[in-house]
């Protein structure tokens, strides 16, 4: 490989944001005109949410090499925070009373409440980030499971958000937005946040700052000796990852219109883990691809009913047998197909 | 004020005293050697200085600042670079990345800087890349910038590791057995390399080594320790003929 490839001074044309923009635009236009039905739209939204989930978990499990299996817990935090805000601010509910703000403002404020959900989830990420200073590997994995359980049990016992019966009313916000101007809002926002998340992760992992996270994976001791503040980087990685999971949770809540603690249990975390390992640890394109494939596969096998849960795990076992490093290993799409570089690469600046 | 001053340094692992009452003084610009039989506590001294362990007793002062209790990354940021006995490169990151990451303490931007690609971020990244490429050029590694260390030969890995430590911009470079695992011809090359690094980067070098050839040709001053205690300190010639050193290395029984 020539070194000139890495030290480009000239900025290359960056085609992928454009491609994304057009692709996303087409999907949204199709959704708006009703050319693709509600079911397909929902599947696309789930793909978007799952991409955020797996790509964000990949920051911790792939790039940093820790084993976090409590991702569902952070999703729960984001989902509940943004749902409560959404119901409190924009809708009329029997729990939280009249809307505080005029419902039409939801059009502008909807992304804000999703981001607030993400921020609170990032703070919740401290619950695993701080123990990670002292411990790692299996022990940290246990702590992350514990964190997941803490969030689920906490909400189970919070009566004012419905406890284990769940929480609803978020559809009201979506309807409030549609009253102002009819458009497939959720489709738009899931695709937007999904691209934004992937874009930010890519940006982070390309910077020297973010490479400090990968340095922890390959040798934590030499990272520390080479002036990487590993505690700080772990904090950043965990909070960043759980913040994005919170955003995924907020979107999930608004797509479903109903959430209960059980939907963010360890099962959800496992689903996220499967997507990460399916795609390959430390490969962003891998986790995006696997989230897409996994979601579509789950939907495609729906007619098989319960047999689906025999076939999908079986496929996972076979995949791990023949490709233990996941679909992409720790390579990116551009490493596998150098021709794609023309569309994806840009100078490292 | 001396460059690095170690005052009655003692370190215990449980009941075992690995380093006991060690005094050390390094002057800026020299090449210093620390030798001793296996298990003498040499690497422990290095680990204490680089902040891995917190000394049980004693003080470590570097350029007038006390290092005791500082975390390793903080000590590294005070410009102390080191290598390891068994090479510890990030084997699955490119050589260029290995070199770049060592400048982590000079980033000056955080997550917001990355997310919004601030001017500072772009400036710093450009500077880091330029400095890394310059280092690679000087170490004759430019062609290997995109290689992974795991694919390189042992000798080259050593060179990369020294380059990585220098990327930190250290004033003091600690080399822990740089010649370990090298062939005889590689050792001769290494001696030239270390001498070149010393002159070119104008730094103080402090090394642990078992190869007497390396120590005797390079060092201005040598300290010998055994069982954590100093047994000799002096110029290479004095050490070579010191009966106590010979005893420590060869034993005093009849052969």
């Amino acid at each position: 490989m020539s070194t000139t490839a890495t030290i480009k001074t000239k900025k290359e044309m960056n085609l992928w944001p454009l491609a994304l923009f057009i692709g996303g635009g087409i999907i949204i236009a199709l959704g708006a005109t009703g050319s693709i039905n509600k079911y397909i739209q929902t599947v696309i939204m789930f793909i978007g949410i799952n991409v955020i989930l797996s790509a964000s978990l990949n920051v911790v499990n792939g790039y940093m090499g820790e084993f976090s299996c409590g991702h569902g817990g952070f999703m729960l935090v984001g989902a509940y925070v943004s749902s409560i805000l959404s119901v409190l601010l924009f809708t009329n509910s029997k729990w939280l009373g009249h809307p505080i703000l005029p419902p039409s403002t939801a059009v502008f404020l909807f992304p804000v409440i999703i981001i607030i959900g993400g921020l609170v989830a990032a703070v919740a990420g401290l619950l695993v980030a701080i123990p990670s200073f002292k411990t790692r590997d299996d022990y940290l994995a246990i702590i992350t499971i514990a964190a997941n359980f803490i969030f689920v049990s906490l909400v189970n016992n919070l009566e004012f958000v419905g406890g284990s019966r769940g929480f609803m009313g978020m559809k009201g916000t979506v309807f409030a937005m549609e009253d102002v101007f009819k458009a497939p809002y959720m489709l738009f926002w899931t695709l937007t946040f999904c691209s934004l998340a992937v874009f930010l992760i890519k940006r982070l992992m390309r910077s020297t700052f973010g490479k400090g996270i990968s340095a922890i994976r390959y040798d934590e001791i030499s990272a520390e000796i080479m002036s990487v503040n590993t505690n700080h980087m772990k904090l950043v990685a965990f909070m960043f990852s759980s913040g994005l999971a919170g955003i995924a949770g907020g979107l999930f809540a608004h797509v479903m219109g109903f959430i209960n603690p059980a939907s963010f249990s360890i099962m959800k975390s496992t689903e996220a883990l499967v997507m990460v390992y399916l795609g390959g640890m430390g490969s962003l394109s891998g986790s995006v691809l696997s989230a897409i494939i996994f979601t579509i596969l789950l939907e495609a096998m729906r007619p098989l009913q319960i047999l689906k849960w025999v076939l999908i795990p079986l496929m996972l076992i076979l995949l791990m047998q023949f490709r233990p490093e996941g679909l992409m290993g720790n390579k990116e799409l551009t490493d596998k197909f150098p021709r794609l570089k023309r569309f994806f690469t840009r100078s490292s600046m | 004020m001396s460059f690095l001053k170690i005052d009655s340094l003692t370190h215990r692992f449980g009941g075992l005293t690995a380093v006991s009452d060690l005094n050390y003084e390094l002057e800026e610009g020299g090449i210093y050697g620390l030798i001793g039989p296996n298990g003498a506590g040499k690497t422990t001294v290095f680990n204490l200085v680089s902040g891995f362990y917190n000394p049980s007793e004693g003080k470590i002062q570097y350029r007038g600042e006390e290092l005791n209790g500082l975390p390793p990354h903080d000590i590294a940021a005070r410009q102390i670079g080191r290598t390891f006995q068994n090479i510890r490169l990030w084997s699955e990151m490119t050589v260029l990345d290995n070199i770049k990451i060592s400048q982590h303490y000079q980033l000056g931007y955080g997550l917001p800087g990355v997310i919004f690609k601030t001017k500072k971020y772009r400036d710093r990244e450009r500077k880091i890349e330029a400095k890394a490429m310059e280092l690679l050029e000087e170490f004759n590694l430019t062609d290997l910038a995109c290689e992974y260390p795991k694919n390189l030969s042992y000798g080259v890995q050593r060179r990369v590791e020294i380059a990585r430590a220098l990327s930190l911009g250290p004033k003091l470079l600690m080399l822990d057995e740089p010649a370990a695992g090298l062939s005889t011809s590689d050792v001769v090359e290494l001696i030239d390399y270390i001498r070149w690094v010393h002159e070119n980067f104008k730094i103080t070098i402090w090394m642990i080594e078992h190869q007497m050839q390396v120590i005797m040709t390079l060092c201005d001053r040598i300290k010998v320790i055994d069982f954590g205690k100093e047994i000799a300190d002096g110029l290479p010639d004095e050490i070579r003929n010191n009966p106590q050193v010979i005893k420590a290395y060869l034993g005093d029984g009849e052969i």
Side-chain angles (χ1 to χ4, degrees):
Chain A
M1 213 187 288
S2 72
T3 44
T4 43
T6 55
I7 39 164
K8 283 167 292 203
T9 42
K10 177 181 70 167
K11 231 177 194 172
E12 284 183 16
M13 256 294 270
N14 205 357
L15 287 177
W16 77 270
L18 191 70
L20 203 73
F21 195 71
I22 294 173
I26 289 172
I27 294 176
I28 292 160
L30 287 178
T33 53
S35 311
I36 44 179
N37 62 30
K38 279 269 188 282
Y39 170 66
I40 302 283
Q41 283 187 37
T42 314
V43 173
I44 292 172
M45 288 189 268
F46 276 130
I47 289 176
I49 291 165
N50 282 341
V51 167
I52 303 179
L53 265 188
S54 72
S56 64
L57 186 61
N58 203 3
V59 172
V60 168
N61 285 35
Y63 289 112
M64 195 161 73
E66 292 291 359
F67 193 80
S68 165
C69 33
H71 221 47
F74 305 115
M75 201 180 166
L76 176 146
V77 173
Y80 268 87
V81 168
S82 57
S83 302
I84 292 169
L85 277 178
S86 150
V87 171
L88 185 70
L89 295 180
F90 310 121
T91 66
N92 219 336
S93 78
K94 61 176 186 291
W95 285 311
L96 296 162
H98 293 294
I100 290 177
L101 296 172
S104 56
T105 53
V107 178
F108 313 105
L109 290 177
F110 178 71
V112 177
I113 60 164
I114 295 289
I115 289 170
I116 292 175
L119 290 177
V120 176
V123 175
L126 283 174
L127 194 67
V128 291
I130 290 170
S132 79
F133 298 168
K134 298 265 178 200
T135 182
R136 56 177 306 156
D137 298 334
D138 310 2
Y139 302 96
L140 187 63
I142 292 170
I143 292 172
T144 57
I145 296 177
N148 201 159
F149 275 107
I150 290 174
F151 293 130
V152 172
S153 329
L154 189 74
V155 176
N156 262 332
N157 289 294
L158 282 181
E159 266 315 308
F160 78 99
V161 290
S164 57
R165 289 190 312 280
F167 185 79
M168 61 166 103
M170 290 76 83
K171 277 277 186 248
T173 306
V174 180
F175 294 144
M177 289 197 282
E178 280 172 357
D179 283 345
V180 178
F181 176 73
K182 188 109 178 76
Y185 285 99
M186 286 320 296
L187 194 62
F188 172 73
W189 284 117
T190 38
L191 290 179
T192 307
F193 276 111
C194 167
S195 342
L196 205 65
V198 173
F199 176 67
L200 286 182
I201 294 170
K202 176 168 167 259
R203 202 173 244 197
L204 174 67
M205 295 321 297
R206 281 206 165 191
S207 67
T208 309
F209 178 74
K211 278 174 183 159
I213 295 175
S214 303
I216 294 178
R217 171 185 182 184
Y218 295 117
D219 193 332
E220 186 171 347
I221 286 170
S222 69
E224 185 77 21
I225 286 291
M226 290 300 145
S227 83
V228 178
N229 187 343
T230 51
N231 282 359
H232 180 71
M233 293 318 295
K234 283 176 184 173
L235 205 67
V236 168
F238 273 113
M239 290 182 75
F240 187 65
S241 158
S242 48
L244 289 178
I247 285 178
L251 293 169
F252 176 82
H254 284 83
V255 171
M256 297 290 282
F258 166 78
I259 45 174
N260 64 346
S263 36
F264 304 106
S265 68
I266 198 86
M267 274 306 289
K268 194 83 200 172
S269 308
T270 314
E271 216 172 273
L273 278 174
V274 166
M275 287 188 283
V276 169
Y277 289 91
L278 193 68
M281 291 204 289
S283 164
L284 186 55
S285 37
S287 47
V288 171
L289 266 182
S290 74
I292 296 173
I293 294 173
F294 189 72
T295 319
I296 292 179
L297 213 60
L298 278 186
E299 288 306 323
M301 293 201 172
R302 203 176 273 279
L304 297 177
Q305 292 170 356
I306 201 78
L307 258 184
K308 168 171 96 162
W309 291 113
V310 176
L311 281 177
I312 287 173
L314 191 68
M315 283 164 80
L316 282 180
I317 292 173
L318 287 177
L319 183 91
M320 288 298 133
Q321 194 63 41
F322 295 106
R323 250 192 110 65
E325 73 275 28
L327 288 175
M328 305 291 296
N330 59 2
K331 300 279 187 291
E332 295 297 338
L333 261 183
T334 45
D335 300 330
K336 298 261 174 183
F337 306 100
R339 279 177 174 209
L340 280 175
K341 274 218 165 92
R342 267 184 299 163
F343 299 99
F344 287 101
T345 39
R346 49 186 291 130
S347 72
S348 50
M349 288 301 112
Chain B
M1 185 186 68
S2 43
F3 187 61
L4 181 81
K5 190 165 187 286
I6 295 174
D7 244 341
S8 54
L9 186 71
T10 301
H11 191 67
R12 296 184 201 91
F13 292 111
L16 177 84
T17 309
V19 178
S20 92
D21 202 24
L22 187 77
N23 293 302
Y24 218 129
E25 223 165 298
L26 303 190
E27 293 300 330
E28 191 158 8
I31 301 186
Y32 293 87
L34 177 62
I35 62 172
N38 284 327
K42 306 178 294 290
T43 302
T44 310
V45 173
F46 268 28
N47 284 345
L48 285 165
V49 172
S50 52
F52 259 137
Y53 307 134
N54 221 343
S56 311
E57 277 164 45
K59 249 193 344 203
I60 304 166
Q61 272 185 316
Y62 173 68
R63 296 202 285 175
E65 278 178 294
E66 204 176 301
L67 297 185
N68 292 36
L70 291 179
H73 68 87
D74 224 346
I75 290 176
R78 276 152 221 260
Q79 298 173 311
I80 298 183
R82 75 169 279 190
T83 63
F84 297 87
Q85 198 171 332
N86 42 348
I87 298 172
R88 301 191 81 141
L89 288 167
W90 298 297
S91 54
E92 296 187 39
M93 302 178 86
T94 61
V95 169
L96 183 64
D97 281 346
N98 267 278
I99 310 265
K100 276 162 85 173
I101 293 170
S102 299
Q103 300 175 40
H104 217 264
Y105 75 101
Q106 293 173 320
L107 286 178
Y109 64 80
L111 190 58
V114 179
I115 289 176
F116 300 110
K117 254 192 189 174
T118 55
K119 191 172 176 306
K120 192 169 192 177
Y121 164 81
R122 281 172 290 151
D123 284 351
R124 287 303 317 158
E125 288 283 305
R126 209 172 294 130
K127 276 199 188 115
I128 286 170
E129 177 123 350
K131 191 179 168 192
M133 288 313 292
E134 195 185 323
L135 257 173
L136 287 177
E137 181 101 35
E138 283 182 292
F139 272 80
N140 247 332
L141 291 166
T142 314
D143 294 340
L144 303 175
C146 296
E147 269 306 330
Y148 295 101
K150 60 176 179 180
N151 300 334
L152 301 176
S153 75
Y154 202 74
V156 178
Q157 287 190 25
R158 281 270 175 224
R159 233 157 70 201
V160 174
E161 206 189 17
I162 295 177
R164 181 179 72 165
L166 284 169
S167 167
L168 206 71
K171 295 273 183 281
L172 170 66
L173 178 64
M174 306 198 290
L175 303 172
D176 194 344
E177 295 202 28
L182 296 187
S183 68
T184 328
S185 60
D186 280 348
V187 168
V188 177
E189 200 180 308
L190 180 85
I191 293 176
D192 290 340
Y193 245 111
I194 295 178
R195 191 170 280 141
W196 168 79
V197 164
H198 179 242
E199 279 160 17
N200 193 35
F201 295 91
K202 299 192 173 46
I203 53 175
T204 313
I205 292 181
W206 186 18
M207 63 170 139
I208 295 176
E209 189 45 76
H210 278 300
Q211 296 258 5
M212 284 307 135
Q213 190 194 355
V214 179
I215 287 283
M216 292 298 168
T217 38
L218 284 172
C219 294
D220 303 325
R221 214 176 162 81
I222 301 169
K223 193 185 281 287
V224 191
I225 61 172
D226 193 14
F227 296 114
K229 284 195 189 71
E230 174 180 332
I231 56 174
D233 188 0
L235 304 172
D237 276 336
E238 296 167 12
I239 296 296
R240 209 189 306 253
N241 303 316
N242 188 315
Q244 260 194 301
V245 177
I246 296 166
K247 192 177 124 191
Y249 266 90
L250 299 176
D252 55 355
E254 263 108 68
I255 302 162

